[in-house]
């Protein structure tokens, strides 16, 4: 594995419980080329101070917000807010819970370029990834 190809996820709520320790580990791992993502972002006690102090480069929007954003304007506002925070803090955002073409379409409309969910792909063994990547086209999951 080459430097920069490993990314670990830490739950936002776990990171906030031990903020200074987690921030130190993230910085030490970053020096070795290991990236970090804050998973389930928005479900804990998110604050701008925490976001500023945690050097994770990726915010993973909790799937409950993404799943319900089609029918609930408040969940859509949360998704849009997290995307805005990610941009403001020079972080990447990944929307978890892109389960249908409608989710993916709306995410693209609100300028979310990274998502994961069953509309994109189901979990698969690593040896199946190359064929999936070669065959995948937006809007037609395999």
């Amino acid at each position: 594995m080459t430097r920069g190809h490993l990314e670990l996820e830490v739950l936002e709520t776990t990171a906030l419980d031990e903020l200074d320790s987690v921030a130190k580990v993230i910085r030490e791992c970053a020096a070795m080329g290991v990236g970090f993502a804050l998973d389930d972002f928005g479900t804990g006690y998110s604050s701008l101070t925490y976001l500023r102090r945690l050097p994770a480069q990726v915010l993973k929007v909790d799937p409950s917000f993404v799943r319900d954003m089609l029918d609930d304007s408040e969940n859509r506002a949360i998704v849009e807010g997290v995307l805005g925070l990610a941009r403001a803090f020079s972080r990447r955002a990944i929307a978890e819970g892109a389960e249908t073409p409608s989710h993916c379409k709306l995410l693209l409309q609100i300028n979310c370029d990274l998502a994961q969910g069953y509309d994109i792909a189901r979990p698969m063994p690593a040896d199946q990834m190359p064929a999936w990547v070669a065959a995948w086209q937006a809007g037609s999951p395999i």
Side-chain angles (χ1 to χ4, degrees):
M1 180 178 306
T2 60
R3 184 176 178 86
H5 286 118
L6 179 62
E7 183 174 272
L8 302 176
E9 295 182 6
V10 61
L11 288 172
E12 175 195 16
T13 51
T14 302
L16 300 182
D17 287 343
E18 297 289 334
L19 184 64
D20 292 330
S21 298
V22 172
K24 181 178 184 241
V25 169
I26 291 173
R27 282 191 299 276
E28 289 171 355
C29 288
M32 295 183 284
V34 176
F36 272 84
L38 287 178
D39 196 21
D40 295 341
F41 190 80
T43 60
Y45 302 101
S46 306
S47 81
L48 299 179
T49 299
Y50 293 143
L51 185 56
R52 185 182 52 171
R53 289 181 57 200
L54 283 171
Q57 289 304 304
V58 178
L59 305 180
K60 295 189 81 173
V61 184
D62 187 71
S64 65
F65 303 129
V66 175
R67 246 189 324 269
D68 295 339
M69 72 179 182
L70 298 173
D71 302 315
D72 184 328
S73 62
E74 290 181 350
N75 279 308
R76 178 178 170 164
I78 290 170
V79 173
E80 290 181 18
V82 173
L83 295 175
L85 284 172
R87 282 189 289 278
F89 283 86
S90 300
R91 311 283 169 86
R92 290 180 295 137
I94 299 174
E96 296 183 281
E99 309 298 1
T100 68
S102 296
H103 287 105
C104 291
K105 182 178 178 182
L106 181 54
L107 287 168
L108 287 171
Q109 288 173 350
I110 62 174
N111 297 315
C112 180
D113 298 326
L114 300 173
Q116 69 183 67
Y118 288 160
D119 189 56
I120 299 165
R122 300 261 177 191
M124 69 184 78
D127 64 343
Q128 293 178 11
M129 286 292 297
W132 176 83
V133 169
W136 187 80
Q137 294 179 11
S140 58
I142 296 176

